[in-house]
Amino acid sequence: MENKNVYAKPVTLKNILKFAVPTIAMTVFMSFYTMVDGLFVSNLIGTDALSAINLTAPVIQLVTAISTMLATGGSAVIMKKMGEQKVEEAREDFTFLILVNVVVGIAMCAAGYLTMDHIFARMHLSAGVEGYCVAYLSRYLIFTVPILLMNNFTLYMIASEKATLSLICSVTGGVLNMVLDYVLIAVFDMGISGAAIATGLGYSVTAVVGLFVFSRKESLLHFKKPAFRWKVLSNAATNGCSEMATALVTGIITMMFNWTMLRYVGEDGVAAVTIIMYVLMFASSLYTGYSYGVAPMISYYYGEQNHGKLKKLVAVSMRVIAVISLVTVAASFLLTRPLVSVFARPDNPVYDLAVTGNRICTIALLFIGFNIFASGMFTALSNGVVSAVLAFSRSFVFMLITMIALPLIFGVNGIWLATPAAELMALALSSCLFLKYRKRYGY
């Protein structure tokens, strides 16, 4: 089997990067064209519209959270079975989990339409910003099922040694998104609705290609008559609950950021938060892409009980993440003003807020990579509970503590300090759990 030879190769930096670089490129590009969305919206429509995109983010993250859970948890379960040579059973489970995602997508889409007016009305926004929120989300929700399939097919392409194809899909979708952003906003004057449609169509590329790819029996993973093993669904949900928790609490924390900024600064503060989140998301995508890239290897070696390869893979990964952390911190500090100026002109009050915020939040990049990898590693090892503890503590508990305490002491700067402080606390917890389970898993 071709894929077996890939996993049988020696664990070297070169072979790891061959597996992970396409995934890193894919996640970086996906975050890049999310930033481009913000660029078009802020420059062609205005910073109020940029604020609206951030205000809709919690709802969007809620919609995609369950899909993220099933995709990451399901990939770990299925690749573990591949390592145990239960190939046909793994394919049946793969098909079953994809069907579950379609059903979940339809349900989440309906729930979004039923609740969005009530959600935005309770935020007490200006009429203009509230209108932008409703217009953006109502178009975005049309693409719920394709977006959920995209989340799943992205990871399953990586697991099937099709990371390059996944990258091509992401690049194609990103280019389509960028072109449509300009065409629908500037040419057809569709405003923020055009931005949402462009994003949905861009994400749909991977979903359409995935349906064709996984319909072919030549693929390592492909569709076949599903077996409705509810224990598999339970295991996938348990393994991926950390990623779901991350998506859910990220939405909650985003709302907290928005509410706090609205209280201290107003809607300009929300626009500044949006810019900072774009920068952090872009840098974090490097770590996320690497973790996604090596996760199938971790799951496979764990299923194979090859502790030598597992130990070497984790050791090399730590060094890779350390290098990425130093590079991203240096780049973010040096490029703060050019990055912010892309979204807001220097005479805009949003500009100074975002410059100060980015310089403070950049400190978090020293810790984020290790925390993302630790959570992803435990998911890949089928220990969803530990992964969930890490993700929930990092994304919610520690952020909640710092978001409440630090603004009371430092004002607006305390809002920016909340992220690096929470990530530092999460690093301490990640280190403790990493050492605690080292002997059990042999890494």
Side-chain angles (χ1 to χ4, degrees):
M1 184 187 301
E2 184 181 352
N3 198 73
K4 182 179 178 181
N5 293 332
V6 171
Y7 288 102
K9 288 181 179 179
V11 177
T12 63
L13 178 61
K14 181 179 178 181
N15 287 335
I16 292 171
L17 292 180
K18 279 183 179 179
F19 215 93
V21 164
T23 314
I24 295 173
M26 176 194 65
T27 53
V28 167
F29 191 81
M30 288 178 69
S31 68
F32 174 72
Y33 77 71
T34 301
M35 291 176 67
V36 170
D37 264 354
L39 173 63
F40 276 109
V41 168
S42 60
N43 285 279
L44 295 178
I45 306 175
T47 52
D48 279 353
L50 184 65
S51 299
I53 289 181
N54 193 27
L55 289 164
T56 61
V59 181
I60 292 170
Q61 286 157 347
L62 175 63
V63 169
T64 59
I66 294 177
S67 174
T68 303
M69 171 188 71
L70 294 175
T72 54
S75 177
V77 169
I78 288 168
M79 291 314 297
K80 182 174 180 288
K81 286 191 175 183
M82 285 288 186
E84 295 168 345
Q85 303 305 311
K86 300 176 181 177
V87 177
E88 294 304 311
E89 189 175 321
R91 289 168 179 162
E92 292 170 351
D93 295 341
F94 162 69
T95 308
F96 170 52
L97 291 176
I98 293 298
L99 289 174
V100 169
N101 271 273
V102 172
V103 174
V104 168
I106 294 170
M108 296 297 283
C109 177
Y113 275 111
L114 290 172
T115 58
M116 66 177 174
D117 287 335
H118 179 67
I119 291 170
F120 297 129
R122 291 177 63 88
M123 290 185 180
H124 305 294
L125 305 168
S126 65
V129 173
E130 184 176 342
Y132 283 137
C133 289
V134 173
Y136 186 83
L137 188 60
S138 63
R139 304 304 186 277
Y140 189 96
L141 287 173
I142 296 170
F143 300 94
T144 302
V145 172
I147 289 171
L148 300 189
L149 290 177
M150 179 275 296
N151 287 337
N152 281 265
F153 289 155
T154 293
L155 293 188
Y156 287 120
M157 284 181 187
I158 296 166
S160 299
E161 205 209 337
K162 298 183 186 295
T164 302
L165 176 61
S166 185
L167 171 61
I168 292 170
C169 290
S170 297
V171 171
T172 304
V175 171
L176 178 64
N177 182 20
M178 293 175 201
V179 172
L180 289 177
D181 266 330
Y182 179 77
V183 171
L184 297 180
I185 297 173
V187 178
F188 289 99
D189 196 26
M190 294 179 65
I192 200 169
S193 297
I197 293 170
T199 299
L201 290 173
Y203 283 153
S204 298
V205 170
T206 301
V208 173
V209 173
L211 289 173
F212 283 102
V213 168
F214 293 115
S215 296
R216 294 166 54 87
K217 291 186 177 181
E218 292 81 2
S219 176
L220 174 68
L221 288 175
H222 58 257
F223 298 130
K224 63 177 302 179
K225 185 177 180 180
F228 294 87
R229 300 185 184 94
W230 300 106
K231 185 177 181 181
V232 169
L233 178 58
S234 174
N235 289 340
T238 302
N239 287 333
C241 63
S242 60
E243 281 69 22
M244 182 187 72
T246 299
L248 287 174
V249 300
T250 297
I252 295 170
I253 294 300
T254 300
M255 284 193 291
M256 288 183 61
F257 264 110
N258 293 339
W259 288 337
T260 307
M261 272 299 181
L262 285 169
R263 176 186 171 191
Y264 278 86
V265 183
E267 290 173 352
D268 285 342
V270 177
V273 168
T274 308
I275 295 170
I276 303 306
M277 285 186 171
Y278 281 149
V279 175
L280 288 177
M281 177 181 64
F282 185 77
S284 297
S285 66
L286 293 165
Y287 314 123
T288 304
Y290 183 84
S291 297
Y292 281 170
V294 300
M297 301 173 72
I298 293 173
S299 298
Y300 193 95
Y301 297 146
Y302 174 55
E304 196 179 40
Q305 291 297 295
N306 194 328
H307 298 295
K309 284 188 173 182
L310 186 59
K311 183 179 291 187
K312 190 168 184 181
L313 176 59
V314 172
V316 173
S317 294
M318 289 295 182
R319 292 195 290 270
V320 170
I321 289 169
V323 171
I324 295 174
S325 299
L326 294 174
V327 171
T328 53
V329 167
S332 184
F333 269 120
L334 291 173
L335 299 174
T336 290
R337 288 188 179 275
L339 285 170
V340 173
S341 65
V342 170
F343 297 93
R345 295 189 178 117
D347 59 349
N348 191 319
V350 172
Y351 178 85
D352 288 332
L353 278 170
V355 167
T356 301
N358 188 68
R359 286 176 172 164
I360 296 173
C361 285
T362 290
I363 301 168
L365 295 176
L366 290 170
F367 320 123
I368 288 175
F370 296 101
N371 294 328
I372 289 175
F373 178 77
S375 180
M377 181 188 74
F378 283 112
T379 297
L381 292 170
S382 295
N383 194 332
V385 174
V386 171
S387 182
V389 168
L390 284 173
F392 187 74
S393 299
R394 169 185 171 240
S395 301
F396 185 69
V397 177
F398 298 147
M399 280 298 300
L400 183 63
I401 293 170
T402 55
M403 275 292 295
I404 292 173
L406 296 182
L408 294 175
I409 302 171
F410 300 106
V412 175
N413 285 340
I415 301 174
W416 303 127
L417 282 168
T419 300
E423 292 291 348
L424 180 59
M425 294 164 72
L427 179 64
L429 178 61
S430 296
S431 301
C432 291
L433 292 174
F434 185 90
L435 294 172
K436 178 179 179 180
Y437 288 94
R438 197 167 193 168
K439 288 185 179 179
R440 176 190 292 190
Y441 295 110
Y443 54 73

